[in-house]
Amino acid sequence: MRKNSMVIPASLFFIFILSHLAYSQEGLPADEIIRKSQAAFYYPGSDMKTRVLMKLVTKDGKERIRDLTMLRKNLDKGGEQRYFIYFYKPPDVKDMTFMVWKYPGKDDDRWLFIPAIKLVKRIAANDKRSSFVGSDFSYEDVSGRDAEEDNHSILKEEVFNGKDTYVVKSVPKDEGSTDYSYKVSWIDKESFIPLKEEHYDKRGELYKVFTADEVKEIQDFPTVTKRTVENVQSGHRTEVTFKEVGYNNGIEDEIFSERYLRTPPRNGYVDKSGRSSFLFSLLTGFSTRCFHSWCGYFSRWVPSGGLYTKDSRWE
Amino acid sequence: MGLDIREAYLDYVSKLWDVRVGRQIITWGVGDLIFINDISPKDFPAFFSGRPLEYLKKGSDAFKFDLYLNVISMEFILIPFFERDNLPSPPRFFIFDPFSQVKDREIKELETKLENTELALRLYRNILGFDASVYAYKGFFRIPGVRPDNPESPTKLTLFFPELAVYGASLQGSVFSGVLSLEGAYYDSLDDRDGDDPAATNSQTKFLVGFQRELWRDFTAEFQYSGEYMHKYGEYLETLPPEFPKQDRFGQLMTLRLTQFLKYQTLKLSFFAFFSPNDKDYMLIPEVRHNITDHLWAALGGNIFGGKKETTFFGQLDKNDNVYLVLRYEF
């Protein structure tokens, strides 16, 4: 009897401590803030269409461009999403399409269509830290990370760029799953849009800084239309502009299929003049005997042998 | 030097079906450089000398019809103009030729006529998260059979394209945090079902198992194991000319592909290897590619061939090791 009465006050005290750690003054726990922030940033609308312009800038100012259209659709089932990406630039990935079926709590399915050889290829997707098209963004930065994969706590509340924000620290439950040992996010109390994120590496030093440089209301959804991520250690940065953002377009489920990977969807989804209902594409290449500067190495006369004929096409 | 049009086609697209007419590249199957259900013509010299991968595939002059239904999608291809594979040949390549003393050679071209029109069908859909396809093809071997006028002391060789039908299937999906690929097919050698014509390839069963996984950031490894089982092997042995190299009943080929991206994917280190455990031959392709700007890339690589015997597929190419440099400006 006496033993029990000691246990109850001790556990009450524990709950009191916990609630103090996790709850802000307004009563929102850190987990809830992150979940709302994920919903506001990665899930607004039933679907979204946008043209994405990425500028990849090296420390010494050399620029590369990624120009693409992205379609995103939320499925009814808890958090599942479909992404469709069509590349305009750079030239070596022009006409390439990329599709992701995203499942929370499980590896995504990813497909790539390589137009030069008309190949639809499934690609392995277990490391979400890999760079998205050579930018400072990882796949996870593009499509989001499950809120459950980190432990979240509110560090403080402060005014950031004139907005009231929650400052939330997130520590990964599985250290091997991320490049950061922890991250700190400044989340707008009103829109729940992350205005800034700082990633700290395994030594605890700041290495990546994400900033929302422009936030606009589009169809009543607060939308980040300009975003920058900078690797402060390497000096490399990526600036993204989201143009022509539109929500609730009624994008059909079929768009996210092999058919449209091979022939990108028209109906205003992919802006390509040549891709109207009639397409005439003529790609020419000169077939030369000696394509590479080094192929003289090959050209030695061998008097005998071979399944060859006099037909020049065999040479 | 000549003009080589790789692709030139017209598309018509409607809600449930599409049509594509003209020269087009067709890629089927889930293998990485192992082609089982891929019926398109290949340009092996281009591949063996390090030209960019797309040059391995030749265009087909074809009519393609696609139908998309909720239950299943279908691709139907009609190829009226036969296109053979380009094979490595002298003087550019050193290769093994059992008839090296015979200079008089003739290709028996396939006439463009209704009976010679190639037909190919693919049905596909997603089954429990896997991309599943079944394939059927009726046409011809693209690598010719060789018929000597007189088996004892040939003076003339006729190269011809035996009739072929292929029935196959493939499956690809996410397993163990990677991508698993399975493919198989039965090659029905219609002109040599009994397997007693040494000039034509016997019927075969082919399969492949592949697994691809990203092991760490921007590093992917892919391994494939494939096999070819020859039917009517007894007949093959009986009719094989005595001095000819003997093919194994069960041929195997393994591949390994390693790819590492560095410096924001502007630098790509890759390594590809073919290795046949029964033929004991190999081909290795190490390559470094650098994207200098968005428009300009350079690749330096090599093709290294070798094997125990000079009569096997890669073994015969032993003396053809080469280094290649590609500079490409794209706009």
Side-chain angles (χ1 to χ4, degrees), chain A residues 93-130:
Chain A
V93 297
K94 186 170 169 277
D95 287 339
M96 198 142 106
T97 49
F98 178 60
M99 182 168 78
V100 180
W101 288 18
K102 189 191 150 196
Y103 314 98
K106 177 181 140 186
D107 288 336
D108 301 341
D109 281 326
R110 290 184 201 161
W111 294 264
L112 192 67
F113 174 67
I114 302 161
I117 47 172
K118 301 281 181 284
L119 174 71
V120 170
K121 191 177 163 58
R122 239 183 212 260
I123 50 178
N126 56 309
D127 196 335
K128 293 175 178 171
R129 293 170 296 175
S130 285

Side-chain angles (χ1 to χ4, degrees), chain A residues 65 109 117-118 130 259 306, chain B residues 7 15 27 105 174 214 294:
Chain A
I65 297 292
D109 281 326
I117 47 172
K118 301 281 181 284
S130 285
R259 174 183 190 179
Chain B
E7 287 183 287
K15 188 155 172 53
T27 302
R105 296 168 183 221
S174 304
E214 194 170 22
D294 274 344

Side-chain angles (χ1 to χ4, degrees), chain A residues 62-66 90-92 101 107-111 116-119 121-127 129-136 179 231 234 236 254 258-260 262-263 266 277-289 291-295 297-298 300-311 313-315, chain B residues 1-15 17-18 20 25 27 49-54 57 68 84 87 89-95 97 100 103 105 107 109 122 124 129 131 144 146 159 172-174 177 179 212-214 216-218 222 264-266 289 291-292 294-295 320-326 330-331:
Chain A
K62 264 175 77 182
E63 284 184 9
R64 292 186 293 146
I65 297 292
R66 302 286 176 270
D92 67 336
W101 288 18
D107 288 336
D108 301 341
D109 281 326
R110 290 184 201 161
W111 294 264
I117 47 172
K118 301 281 181 284
L119 174 71
K121 191 177 163 58
R122 239 183 212 260
I123 50 178
N126 56 309
D127 196 335
R129 293 170 296 175
S130 285
S131 162
F132 177 71
V133 297
S135 72
D136 292 280
D179 283 338
N231 185 323
S234 73
H236 195 283
E254 296 90 82
E258 183 180 327
R259 174 183 190 179
Y260 292 103
R262 288 177 182 274
T263 37
R266 281 139 280 258
S277 55
F278 273 97
L279 180 143
F280 185 71
S281 121
L282 182 70
L283 294 161
T284 54
F286 286 98
S287 156
T288 60
R289 285 285 311 280
F291 185 77
H292 306 303
S293 43
W294 289 61
C295 71
Y297 193 84
F298 259 124
R300 269 181 277 175
W301 171 249
V302 187
S304 71
L307 284 179
Y308 69 98
T309 68
K310 290 162 212 145
D311 187 332
R313 278 204 281 169
W314 283 74
E315 297 190 335
Chain B
M1 185 162 152
L3 184 71
D4 168 25
I5 296 173
R6 284 181 56 76
E7 287 183 287
Y9 53 78
L10 278 167
D11 272 359
Y12 178 76
V13 179
S14 85
K15 188 155 172 53
W17 54 273
D18 303 341
R20 175 168 290 178
I25 307 279
T27 302
S49 52
R51 289 181 71 178
L53 183 65
E54 65 256 37
K57 307 220 55 164
Y68 310 97
R84 61 182 171 227
L87 297 174
S89 60
R92 198 168 169 192
F93 287 87
F94 291 92
I95 55 161
D97 182 0
S100 54
K103 296 283 176 276
R105 296 168 183 221
I107 291 192
E109 296 285 358
R122 171 179 169 235
Y124 59 102
D131 303 321
V146 182
L159 277 63
Q172 194 170 49
S174 304
S177 301
V179 174
Q212 177 208 353
R213 196 178 159 157
E214 194 170 22
W216 57 79
R217 185 168 6 143
D218 291 325
E222 181 171 14
Y264 294 93
Q265 296 183 1
T266 54
R289 175 176 151 160
N291 284 29
I292 301 155
D294 274 344
H295 295 274
N320 296 291
D321 294 352
N322 62 83
V323 178
Y324 60 85
L325 175 71
V326 182
E330 287 181 272
F331 52 89

Side-chain angles (χ1 to χ4, degrees), chain B residues 265-283:
Chain B
Q265 296 183 1
T266 54
L267 191 62
K268 180 184 172 190
L269 308 177
S270 64
F271 175 77
F272 188 89
F274 283 110
F275 172 70
S276 167
N278 60 295
D279 283 344
K280 307 262 185 313
D281 65 350
Y282 60 85
M283 176 183 181

